[in-house]
Amino acid sequence: MQDMDNTKKFNGLLSELGDCAEIEQKEIIEEMKRVIDEMNKEELYAFFKTDIFYKIHEMIEEKKISLENAILVLKHIGHCRVLKGVWNERFGGSLLQKRFEKMIIDEEKKKEEKNEKLWVDLCECYILLNKRISQEFLSTGVSCLLKVALNKEENEEAKKKVEIALVTLGSIDKWECVEQELYLHESREIIQYHQEHHNLSRFAYQSAWKFSILRLYRNREFEEVIVNELHFGREAARELDELAKCVDWKRKKEERGRETKEELAITRWLSFLYRSFCSCLLMNEEYSGIIQSIAMLFRASRDNYEEISKICKYPLMAAAGRITHIEDLLKGEAIDAVLEEFQRPTLNDEITSGFLECFDNITRRLKEKKDRTTDEEKRKALKKEIFEKMEEEGYEDIVISFHEVSGILYSKYRYQYELSVDFSNYLVNV
């Protein structure tokens, strides 16, 4: 199997390091990086199930590999983990994690002669490889990495450091709390500077947004900055549209090779947008552009890129169920895209179940006079327009037919709800 071949190849190269001089080690490390780059998600999952962190820790202990070279390897592994969206459980609780924790604490305590480069490297490795990080190390890491990310030097070395710092910050997940004073001003400055100077790679810019957006549930005041000053809706829609132009949507799966960097970036944006729609309470008219971009991606991907089309349903579900203006769902053609899916000769159960929930949320909101997205007159007009669309597409027949298999549809997907026996829950009553 390919994943075993790559894992064996990596482990073979790792073993070679212990018998090589320093100059030769650098060459082998570059080859190890290439092996990691070649791995897809499944291969990386298999790779992380091995005892790789134990081996590297042992080699550091036995002085078969320098700490500097070990960091080069580990940072690249962490970068690829984030790039390809793979969870890693094995680093947490390992001897290597404990070693890095102690070194970070020791370095931070130094009043003089602090090795700033080592401190940054350790923080990056620690965060990139960790699924959950304690508050103590999170505060230290964020403070350290934001300082690096704010560097505005134009040379390539400085740009690479900014890139990895932002990717690391973007890997910090929602439930890991970061104090407001550690990100508010810096996040704004990083994003604004890029909008003016275009100094970041696409991955780094996306990571800067992700780090900022996932802090919103802690700070509602920052939403005004994100939405109306930094124009998240406009920027996210533009990024998705530019990425979509780089993918050959007509190319069948068997004709494609590994996921391209553009495909990976689209997947990351869609997953991230789902999280942001669930967290954000403030939106403006620019968000209809995001909805339109997601609907376009769904239509483009549903024939030959099933993995992307499946992910499209999550931000659409969140948009329909929470606070996106319902008129934005119409304007962004999301409702049309969903209804088109129901008419296809062969349906994907996972996508269909999510889209049924979309309409459940939309019709529920339109029935509730308290829904804050629109006034009463607009609400009635929207109900009529959506009802006519649903009636034209035979939506009532679709709901009734799917009710017979709803147990199958919904038992397969943990976070869905069963269809109600009361079909009127899924229809708009004008």
Side-chain angles (χ1 to χ4, degrees):
M1 291 175 64
Q2 182 66 27
D3 59 338
M4 289 305 298
D5 289 344
N6 275 327
T7 298
K8 285 180 179 177
K9 191 185 295 184
F10 183 92
N11 285 331
L13 291 166
L14 184 61
S15 297
E16 283 183 40
L17 285 178
D19 302 319
C20 294
E22 183 73 13
I23 296 176
E24 294 173 300
Q25 282 196 355
K26 297 291 185 186
E27 295 175 0
I28 293 173
I29 286 170
E30 289 306 309
E31 180 60 27
M32 292 167 76
K33 288 181 180 180
R34 283 191 285 272
V35 172
I36 292 293
D37 288 337
E38 288 174 5
M39 294 184 184
N40 59 25
K41 287 184 181 181
E42 291 72 24
E43 292 167 339
L44 270 179
Y45 276 122
F47 175 72
F48 282 129
K49 288 178 181 177
T50 67
D51 57 356
I52 184 65
F53 299 119
Y54 174 79
K55 287 179 181 177
I56 293 176
H57 178 267
E58 287 295 295
M59 290 182 73
I60 296 171
E61 283 280 288
E62 296 168 6
K63 302 192 184 306
K64 290 183 178 180
I65 182 173
S66 67
L67 179 63
E68 178 187 357
N69 284 345
I71 285 172
L72 285 175
V73 174
L74 290 165
K75 196 186 289 190
H76 194 75
I77 292 172
H79 187 277
C80 286
R81 179 198 76 75
V82 176
L83 178 69
K84 297 172 184 179
V86 177
W87 279 115
N88 159 43
E89 300 275 5
R90 293 298 181 96
F91 184 76
S94 68
L95 292 171
L96 193 59
Q97 181 203 35
K98 292 172 183 175
R99 173 188 284 270
F100 281 6
E101 284 180 350
K102 183 178 185 308
M103 293 181 72
I104 290 169
I105 291 170
D106 290 346
E107 204 61 43
E108 190 179 17
K109 285 179 179 176
K110 290 180 181 178
K111 302 286 186 188
E112 300 175 358
E113 299 182 359
K114 179 185 287 189
N115 187 333
E116 290 285 343
K117 182 181 182 305
L118 176 62
W119 189 41
V120 171
D121 284 340
L122 289 169
C123 287
E124 286 173 345
C125 278
Y126 185 79
I127 293 174
L128 285 169
L129 294 170
N130 241 337
K131 184 172 181 180
R132 291 183 176 84
I133 308 162
S134 71
Q135 185 64 39
E136 176 186 7
F137 290 101
L138 191 63
S139 298
T140 297
V142 169
S143 175
C144 166
L145 295 173
L146 281 172
K147 190 185 299 184
V148 177
L150 284 165
N151 188 351
K152 296 180 177 64
E153 293 179 47
E154 292 298 321
N155 63 76
E156 284 305 310
E157 185 179 355
K159 286 182 179 180
K160 284 180 182 178
K161 289 178 179 178
V162 169
E163 166 98 11
I164 193 66
L166 285 173
V167 170
T168 305
L169 288 166
S171 73
I172 298 171
D173 222 327
K174 175 180 174 180
W175 54 81
E176 292 162 336
C177 304
V178 181
E179 294 93 334
Q180 176 179 321
E181 59 269 19
L182 290 177
Y183 69 84
L184 190 58
H185 171 73
E186 292 85 347
S187 293
R188 176 192 289 178
E189 185 176 341
I190 289 165
I191 291 170
Q192 280 180 328
Y193 190 81
H194 173 76
Q195 289 174 344
E196 293 170 10
H197 299 88
H198 306 286
N199 63 311
L200 301 175
S201 71
R202 187 167 270 149
F203 190 17
Y205 188 47
Q206 182 188 64
S207 298
W209 272 117
K210 184 180 178 187
F211 174 76
S212 301
I213 286 284
L214 294 186
R215 312 277 78 78
L216 288 183
Y217 81 111
R218 297 273 293 176
N219 180 8
R220 293 301 168 196
E221 294 177 10
F222 195 33
E223 281 187 312
E224 179 66 33
V225 174
I226 289 287
V227 174
N228 294 324
E229 184 179 329
L230 298 178
H231 301 284
F232 174 66
R234 180 195 68 195
E235 293 292 291
R238 181 184 54 77
E239 289 286 314
L240 283 176
D241 292 345
E242 288 181 4
L243 287 165
K245 292 173 185 175
C246 300
V247 179
D248 181 1
W249 297 107
K250 294 182 180 179
R251 197 172 184 186
K252 297 186 182 299
K253 189 171 185 178
E254 56 272 17
E255 299 171 349
R256 303 186 334 244
R258 295 178 182 279
E259 286 180 300
T260 65
K261 61 182 180 180
E262 289 83 11
E263 291 166 35
L264 287 167
I266 288 170
T267 300
R268 286 194 307 272
W269 266 112
L270 291 171
S271 299
F272 163 41
L273 284 169
Y274 166 66
R275 300 279 296 279
S276 68
F277 285 171
C278 289
S279 302
C280 194
L281 296 180
L282 176 66
M283 295 186 181
N284 62 14
E285 65 280 358
E286 294 174 351
Y287 274 68
S288 64
I290 302 182
I291 301 298
Q292 189 168 21
S293 297
I294 297 170
M296 177 271 295
L297 281 170
F298 175 71
R299 284 171 160 149
S301 64
R302 60 188 170 191
D303 287 328
N304 299 316
Y305 287 77
E306 186 181 60
E307 59 276 19
I308 291 178
S309 66
K310 283 182 179 179
I311 299 173
C312 285
K313 76 165 188 169
Y314 291 107
L316 291 178
M317 285 166 59
R322 197 165 169 82
I323 50 110
T324 310
H325 293 296
I326 293 173
E327 50 263 49
D328 286 342
L329 295 170
L330 279 166
K331 194 190 305 182
E333 301 182 13
I335 290 175
D336 290 317
V338 169
L339 285 170
E340 287 168 14
E341 180 64 16
F342 291 143
Q343 300 298 332
R344 286 163 64 83
T346 303
L347 299 179
N348 179 290
D349 287 352
E350 185 176 353
I351 293 173
T352 303
S353 65
F355 283 170
L356 285 170
E357 186 178 334
C358 278
F359 272 109
D360 184 24
N361 287 326
I362 291 169
T363 54
R364 171 184 51 77
R365 287 172 59 186
L366 285 173
K367 288 179 185 179
E368 293 172 358
K369 294 186 178 182
K370 293 180 181 178
D371 189 273
R372 68 182 183 84
T373 61
T374 190
D375 59 36
E376 181 63 15
E377 189 174 333
K378 271 190 176 181
R379 187 177 69 84
K380 286 183 178 180
L382 284 170
K383 284 172 69 176
K384 184 174 181 179
E385 184 176 355
I386 292 173
F387 176 73
E388 287 173 353
K389 280 182 179 289
M390 293 161 71
E391 188 175 47
E392 184 180 337
E393 299 293 341
Y395 182 65
E396 183 172 6
D397 293 337
I398 292 165
V399 171
I400 292 171
S401 66
F402 273 105
H403 182 75
E404 297 302 317
V405 293
S406 64
I408 298 171
L409 287 179
Y410 286 95
S411 63
K412 288 166 68 176
Y413 311 109
R414 293 175 56 190
Y415 301 111
Q416 306 288 7
Y417 304 100
E418 273 198 48
L419 290 174
S420 169
V421 175
D422 181 3
F423 299 121
S424 67
N425 285 347
Y426 299 88
L427 305 172
V428 179
N429 298 311
V430 181

